[in-house]
PDB file of all heavy atoms in Angstrom:
ATOM      1  N   SER A  22      -6.500   0.316  -4.721  1.00 87.00           N
ATOM      2  CA  SER A  22      -5.987   1.015  -3.581  1.00 87.00           C
ATOM      3  C   SER A  22      -7.016   1.178  -2.517  1.00 87.00           C
ATOM      4  O   SER A  22      -8.223   1.082  -2.785  1.00 87.00           O
ATOM      5  CB  SER A  22      -5.437   2.349  -4.036  1.00 87.00           C
ATOM      6  OG  SER A  22      -6.512   3.140  -4.493  1.00 87.00           O
ATOM      7  N   PHE A  23      -6.565   1.319  -1.289  1.00 88.00           N
ATOM      8  CA  PHE A  23      -7.403   1.492  -0.145  1.00 88.00           C
ATOM      9  C   PHE A  23      -6.755   2.566   0.823  1.00 88.00           C
ATOM     10  O   PHE A  23      -5.512   2.699   0.881  1.00 88.00           O
ATOM     11  CB  PHE A  23      -7.720   0.193   0.597  1.00 88.00           C
ATOM     12  CG  PHE A  23      -6.435  -0.611   0.839  1.00 88.00           C
ATOM     13  CD1 PHE A  23      -5.582  -0.381   1.909  1.00 88.00           C
ATOM     14  CD2 PHE A  23      -6.148  -1.704  -0.017  1.00 88.00           C
ATOM     15  CE1 PHE A  23      -4.484  -1.153   2.120  1.00 88.00           C
ATOM     16  CE2 PHE A  23      -5.003  -2.491   0.213  1.00 88.00           C
ATOM     17  CZ  PHE A  23      -4.199  -2.221   1.259  1.00 88.00           C
ATOM     18  N   ARG A  24      -7.613   3.209   1.591  1.00 87.00           N
ATOM     19  CA  ARG A  24      -7.023   4.189   2.511  1.00 87.00           C
ATOM     20  C   ARG A  24      -6.314   3.519   3.702  1.00 87.00           C
ATOM     21  O   ARG A  24      -6.729   2.427   4.124  1.00 87.00           O
ATOM     22  CB  ARG A  24      -8.182   5.079   3.092  1.00 87.00           C
ATOM     23  CG  ARG A  24      -8.825   5.947   2.023  1.00 87.00           C
ATOM     24  CD  ARG A  24      -9.831   6.980   2.581  1.00 87.00           C
ATOM     25  NE  ARG A  24     -10.450   7.773   1.584  1.00 87.00           N
ATOM     26  CZ  ARG A  24      -9.928   8.864   1.106  1.00 87.00           C
ATOM     27  NH1 ARG A  24      -8.721   9.277   1.529  1.00 87.00           N
ATOM     28  NH2 ARG A  24     -10.563   9.532   0.137  1.00 87.00           N
ATOM     29  N   ILE A  25      -5.282   4.188   4.182  1.00 84.00           N
ATOM     30  CA  ILE A  25      -4.672   3.736   5.387  1.00 84.00           C
ATOM     31  C   ILE A  25      -4.766   4.754   6.493  1.00 84.00           C
ATOM     32  O   ILE A  25      -4.943   5.994   6.200  1.00 84.00           O
ATOM     33  CB  ILE A  25      -3.138   3.402   5.129  1.00 84.00           C
ATOM     34  CG1 ILE A  25      -2.397   4.672   4.593  1.00 84.00           C
ATOM     35  CG2 ILE A  25      -2.964   2.271   4.168  1.00 84.00           C
ATOM     36  CD1 ILE A  25      -0.915   4.466   4.462  1.00 84.00           C
ATOM     37  N   ASP A  26      -4.689   4.367   7.714  1.00 80.00           N
ATOM     38  CA  ASP A  26      -4.968   5.180   8.837  1.00 80.00           C
ATOM     39  C   ASP A  26      -3.970   6.329   8.962  1.00 80.00           C
ATOM     40  O   ASP A  26      -4.326   7.452   9.454  1.00 80.00           O
ATOM     41  CB  ASP A  26      -4.892   4.383  10.188  1.00 80.00           C
ATOM     42  CG  ASP A  26      -6.079   3.427  10.302  1.00 80.00           C
ATOM     43  OD1 ASP A  26      -7.057   3.614   9.446  1.00 80.00           O
ATOM     44  OD2 ASP A  26      -6.043   2.538  11.110  1.00 80.00           O
ATOM     45  N   GLU A  27      -2.762   6.169   8.491  1.00 78.00           N
ATOM     46  CA  GLU A  27      -1.734   7.241   8.589  1.00 78.00           C
ATOM     47  C   GLU A  27      -1.863   8.245   7.533  1.00 78.00           C
ATOM     48  O   GLU A  27      -1.076   9.209   7.480  1.00 78.00           O
ATOM     49  CB  GLU A  27      -0.356   6.619   8.449  1.00 78.00           C
ATOM     50  CG  GLU A  27       0.015   5.732   9.616  1.00 78.00           C
ATOM     51  CD  GLU A  27       0.362   6.541  10.840  1.00 78.00           C
ATOM     52  OE1 GLU A  27       1.143   7.548  10.717  1.00 78.00           O
ATOM     53  OE2 GLU A  27      -0.132   6.168  11.972  1.00 78.00           O
ATOM     54  N   GLY A  28      -2.853   8.068   6.578  1.00 80.00           N
ATOM     55  CA  GLY A  28      -3.040   9.034   5.469  1.00 80.00           C
ATOM     56  C   GLY A  28      -2.436   8.405   4.267  1.00 80.00           C
ATOM     57  O   GLY A  28      -1.406   7.715   4.254  1.00 80.00           O
ATOM     58  N   GLY A  29      -3.021   8.695   3.100  1.00 85.00           N
ATOM     59  CA  GLY A  29      -2.568   8.115   1.878  1.00 85.00           C
ATOM     60  C   GLY A  29      -3.279   6.771   1.596  1.00 85.00           C
ATOM     61  O   GLY A  29      -4.338   6.554   2.144  1.00 85.00           O
ATOM     62  N   PHE A  30      -2.690   5.978   0.710  1.00 89.00           N
ATOM     63  CA  PHE A  30      -3.262   4.779   0.184  1.00 89.00           C
ATOM     64  C   PHE A  30      -2.302   3.600   0.274  1.00 89.00           C
ATOM     65  O   PHE A  30      -1.085   3.733   0.140  1.00 89.00           O
ATOM     66  CB  PHE A  30      -3.835   5.007  -1.189  1.00 89.00           C
ATOM     67  CG  PHE A  30      -5.033   5.937  -1.307  1.00 89.00           C
ATOM     68  CD1 PHE A  30      -4.767   7.286  -1.333  1.00 89.00           C
ATOM     69  CD2 PHE A  30      -6.263   5.523  -1.278  1.00 89.00           C
ATOM     70  CE1 PHE A  30      -5.782   8.274  -1.353  1.00 89.00           C
ATOM     71  CE2 PHE A  30      -7.311   6.389  -1.380  1.00 89.00           C
ATOM     72  CZ  PHE A  30      -7.031   7.811  -1.409  1.00 89.00           C
ATOM     73  N   GLY A  31      -2.896   2.413   0.404  1.00 91.00           N
ATOM     74  CA  GLY A  31      -2.125   1.203   0.393  1.00 91.00           C
ATOM     75  C   GLY A  31      -2.682   0.343  -0.861  1.00 91.00           C
ATOM     76  O   GLY A  31      -3.745   0.519  -1.279  1.00 91.00           O
ATOM     77  N   GLN A  32      -1.806  -0.601  -1.252  1.00 91.00           N
ATOM     78  CA  GLN A  32      -2.178  -1.432  -2.359  1.00 91.00           C
ATOM     79  C   GLN A  32      -1.335  -2.656  -2.360  1.00 91.00           C
ATOM     80  O   GLN A  32      -0.102  -2.645  -2.155  1.00 91.00           O
ATOM     81  CB  GLN A  32      -1.893  -0.658  -3.668  1.00 91.00           C
ATOM     82  CG  GLN A  32      -2.477  -1.347  -4.955  1.00 91.00           C
ATOM     83  CD  GLN A  32      -2.268  -0.405  -6.094  1.00 91.00           C
ATOM     84  OE1 GLN A  32      -1.452   0.558  -6.143  1.00 91.00           O
ATOM     85  NE2 GLN A  32      -3.099  -0.642  -7.220  1.00 91.00           N
ATOM     86  N   TYR A  33      -2.002  -3.894  -2.454  1.00 94.00           N
ATOM     87  CA  TYR A  33      -1.173  -5.117  -2.523  1.00 94.00           C
ATOM     88  C   TYR A  33      -0.685  -5.420  -3.859  1.00 94.00           C
ATOM     89  O   TYR A  33      -1.265  -5.146  -4.832  1.00 94.00           O
ATOM     90  CB  TYR A  33      -2.099  -6.261  -1.910  1.00 94.00           C
ATOM     91  CG  TYR A  33      -2.238  -6.161  -0.413  1.00 94.00           C
ATOM     92  CD1 TYR A  33      -3.442  -5.739   0.053  1.00 94.00           C
ATOM     93  CD2 TYR A  33      -1.212  -6.558   0.478  1.00 94.00           C
ATOM     94  CE1 TYR A  33      -3.591  -5.621   1.468  1.00 94.00           C
ATOM     95  CE2 TYR A  33      -1.376  -6.379   1.759  1.00 94.00           C
ATOM     96  CZ  TYR A  33      -2.562  -5.951   2.271  1.00 94.00           C
ATOM     97  OH  TYR A  33      -2.782  -5.834   3.641  1.00 94.00           O
ATOM     98  N   ALA A  34       0.523  -5.992  -3.835  1.00 95.00           N
ATOM     99  CA  ALA A  34       1.206  -6.311  -5.151  1.00 95.00           C
ATOM    100  C   ALA A  34       2.079  -7.563  -4.986  1.00 95.00           C
ATOM    101  O   ALA A  34       2.139  -8.146  -3.886  1.00 95.00           O
ATOM    102  CB  ALA A  34       2.096  -5.121  -5.576  1.00 95.00           C
ATOM    103  N   CYS A  35       2.657  -8.008  -6.056  1.00 95.00           N
ATOM    104  CA  CYS A  35       3.368  -9.229  -6.126  1.00 95.00           C
ATOM    105  C   CYS A  35       4.834  -9.008  -6.736  1.00 95.00           C
ATOM    106  O   CYS A  35       4.960  -8.179  -7.669  1.00 95.00           O
ATOM    107  CB  CYS A  35       2.669 -10.318  -6.916  1.00 95.00           C
ATOM    108  SG  CYS A  35       3.599 -11.886  -7.109  1.00 95.00           S
ATOM    109  N   ALA A  36       5.865  -9.604  -6.131  1.00 95.00           N
ATOM    110  CA  ALA A  36       7.208  -9.507  -6.630  1.00 95.00           C
ATOM    111  C   ALA A  36       7.974 -10.724  -6.269  1.00 95.00           C
ATOM    112  O   ALA A  36       7.507 -11.584  -5.499  1.00 95.00           O
ATOM    113  CB  ALA A  36       7.873  -8.226  -6.035  1.00 95.00           C
ATOM    114  N   ALA A  37       9.195 -10.825  -6.811  1.00 94.00           N
ATOM    115  CA  ALA A  37      10.052 -11.965  -6.478  1.00 94.00           C
ATOM    116  C   ALA A  37      10.357 -12.006  -5.027  1.00 94.00           C
ATOM    117  O   ALA A  37      10.572 -13.155  -4.435  1.00 94.00           O
ATOM    118  CB  ALA A  37      11.373 -11.887  -7.263  1.00 94.00           C
ATOM    119  N   GLN A  38      10.182 -10.913  -4.347  1.00 93.00           N
ATOM    120  CA  GLN A  38      10.549 -10.835  -2.924  1.00 93.00           C
ATOM    121  C   GLN A  38       9.265 -11.323  -2.105  1.00 93.00           C
ATOM    122  O   GLN A  38       9.308 -11.375  -0.879  1.00 93.00           O
ATOM    123  CB  GLN A  38      10.842  -9.392  -2.475  1.00 93.00           C
ATOM    124  CG  GLN A  38      12.193  -8.941  -3.038  1.00 93.00           C
ATOM    125  CD  GLN A  38      12.172  -8.504  -4.480  1.00 93.00           C
ATOM    126  OE1 GLN A  38      11.173  -8.562  -5.102  1.00 93.00           O
ATOM    127  NE2 GLN A  38      13.416  -8.174  -4.986  1.00 93.00           N
ATOM    128  N   GLY A  39       8.148 -11.648  -2.780  1.00 93.00           N
ATOM    129  CA  GLY A  39       6.965 -12.098  -2.088  1.00 93.00           C
ATOM    130  C   GLY A  39       5.802 -11.067  -2.222  1.00 93.00           C
ATOM    131  O   GLY A  39       5.765 -10.239  -3.087  1.00 93.00           O
ATOM    132  N   LEU A  40       4.927 -11.170  -1.261  1.00 95.00           N
ATOM    133  CA  LEU A  40       3.702 -10.192  -1.207  1.00 95.00           C
ATOM    134  C   LEU A  40       4.263  -8.830  -0.808  1.00 95.00           C
ATOM    135  O   LEU A  40       5.034  -8.687   0.126  1.00 95.00           O
ATOM    136  CB  LEU A  40       2.743 -10.749  -0.202  1.00 95.00           C
ATOM    137  CG  LEU A  40       1.432  -9.925  -0.175  1.00 95.00           C
ATOM    138  CD1 LEU A  40       0.593 -10.028  -1.423  1.00 95.00           C
ATOM    139  CD2 LEU A  40       0.584 -10.435   1.036  1.00 95.00           C
ATOM    140  N   ILE A  41       3.795  -7.829  -1.543  1.00 95.00           N
ATOM    141  CA  ILE A  41       4.239  -6.434  -1.259  1.00 95.00           C
ATOM    142  C   ILE A  41       3.096  -5.583  -0.920  1.00 95.00           C
ATOM    143  O   ILE A  41       1.940  -5.690  -1.482  1.00 95.00           O
ATOM    144  CB  ILE A  41       4.897  -5.856  -2.589  1.00 95.00           C
ATOM    145  CG1 ILE A  41       6.106  -6.729  -3.036  1.00 95.00           C
ATOM    146  CG2 ILE A  41       5.270  -4.408  -2.377  1.00 95.00           C
ATOM    147  CD1 ILE A  41       7.199  -6.726  -2.091  1.00 95.00           C
ATOM    148  N   LEU A  42       3.240  -4.695   0.055  1.00 94.00           N
ATOM    149  CA  LEU A  42       2.272  -3.695   0.396  1.00 94.00           C
ATOM    150  C   LEU A  42       2.843  -2.360  -0.076  1.00 94.00           C
ATOM    151  O   LEU A  42       3.796  -1.797   0.545  1.00 94.00           O
ATOM    152  CB  LEU A  42       1.998  -3.640   1.893  1.00 94.00           C
ATOM    153  CG  LEU A  42       1.080  -2.567   2.387  1.00 94.00           C
ATOM    154  CD1 LEU A  42      -0.312  -2.630   1.647  1.00 94.00           C
ATOM    155  CD2 LEU A  42       0.864  -2.650   3.914  1.00 94.00           C
ATOM    156  N   LEU A  43       2.301  -1.786  -1.157  1.00 92.00           N
ATOM    157  CA  LEU A  43       2.762  -0.494  -1.685  1.00 92.00           C
ATOM    158  C   LEU A  43       2.091   0.519  -0.877  1.00 92.00           C
ATOM    159  O   LEU A  43       0.791   0.536  -0.698  1.00 92.00           O
ATOM    160  CB  LEU A  43       2.417  -0.396  -3.125  1.00 92.00           C
ATOM    161  CG  LEU A  43       3.232  -1.225  -4.129  1.00 92.00           C
ATOM    162  CD1 LEU A  43       2.638  -1.059  -5.542  1.00 92.00           C
ATOM    163  CD2 LEU A  43       4.721  -0.835  -4.105  1.00 92.00           C
ATOM    164  N   LEU A  44       2.752   1.606  -0.471  1.00 90.00           N
ATOM    165  CA  LEU A  44       2.191   2.770   0.251  1.00 90.00           C
ATOM    166  C   LEU A  44       2.379   4.040  -0.666  1.00 90.00           C
ATOM    167  O   LEU A  44       3.498   4.344  -1.081  1.00 90.00           O
ATOM    168  CB  LEU A  44       2.860   2.958   1.630  1.00 90.00           C
ATOM    169  CG  LEU A  44       2.723   1.802   2.534  1.00 90.00           C
ATOM    170  CD1 LEU A  44       3.451   2.162   3.894  1.00 90.00           C
ATOM    171  CD2 LEU A  44       1.200   1.494   2.829  1.00 90.00           C
ATOM    172  N   ALA A  45       1.274   4.681  -0.856  1.00 88.00           N
ATOM    173  CA  ALA A  45       1.305   5.936  -1.613  1.00 88.00           C
ATOM    174  C   ALA A  45       0.871   7.036  -0.604  1.00 88.00           C
ATOM    175  O   ALA A  45      -0.272   7.237  -0.328  1.00 88.00           O
ATOM    176  CB  ALA A  45       0.374   5.931  -2.785  1.00 88.00           C
ATOM    177  N   LYS A  46       1.906   7.770  -0.171  1.00 83.00           N
ATOM    178  CA  LYS A  46       1.672   8.837   0.885  1.00 83.00           C
ATOM    179  C   LYS A  46       2.106  10.164   0.290  1.00 83.00           C
ATOM    180  O   LYS A  46       2.964  10.280  -0.613  1.00 83.00           O
ATOM    181  CB  LYS A  46       2.366   8.501   2.145  1.00 83.00           C
ATOM    182  CG  LYS A  46       2.048   7.151   2.716  1.00 83.00           C
ATOM    183  CD  LYS A  46       2.921   6.703   3.838  1.00 83.00           C
ATOM    184  CE  LYS A  46       2.776   7.599   5.000  1.00 83.00           C
ATOM    185  NZ  LYS A  46       3.656   7.127   6.140  1.00 83.00           N
ATOM    186  N   GLY A  47       1.563  11.258   0.951  1.00 76.00           N
ATOM    187  CA  GLY A  47       1.932  12.564   0.547  1.00 76.00           C
ATOM    188  C   GLY A  47       1.503  12.794  -0.943  1.00 76.00           C
ATOM    189  O   GLY A  47       0.352  12.582  -1.277  1.00 76.00           O
ATOM    190  N   GLY A  48       2.432  13.095  -1.805  1.00 68.00           N
ATOM    191  CA  GLY A  48       2.124  13.372  -3.144  1.00 68.00           C
ATOM    192  C   GLY A  48       2.211  12.194  -4.073  1.00 68.00           C
ATOM    193  O   GLY A  48       2.115  12.257  -5.293  1.00 68.00           O
TER     194      GLY A  48
END
């Protein structure tokens, strides 16, 4: 995971839909 400017964390992932950017914000 890595910090994002809006607060919280981002994380790259893979799915059938393609490249995914997961966002973990708030709790």
Side-chain angles (χ1 to χ4, degrees):
S22 63
F23 47 80
R24 293 187 182 277
I25 58 175
D26 291 345
E27 292 286 315
F30 293 82
Q32 186 174 23
Y33 286 103
C35 177
Q38 292 79 2
L40 184 65
I41 302 295
L42 176 57
L43 291 173
L44 298 181
K46 301 171 66 178

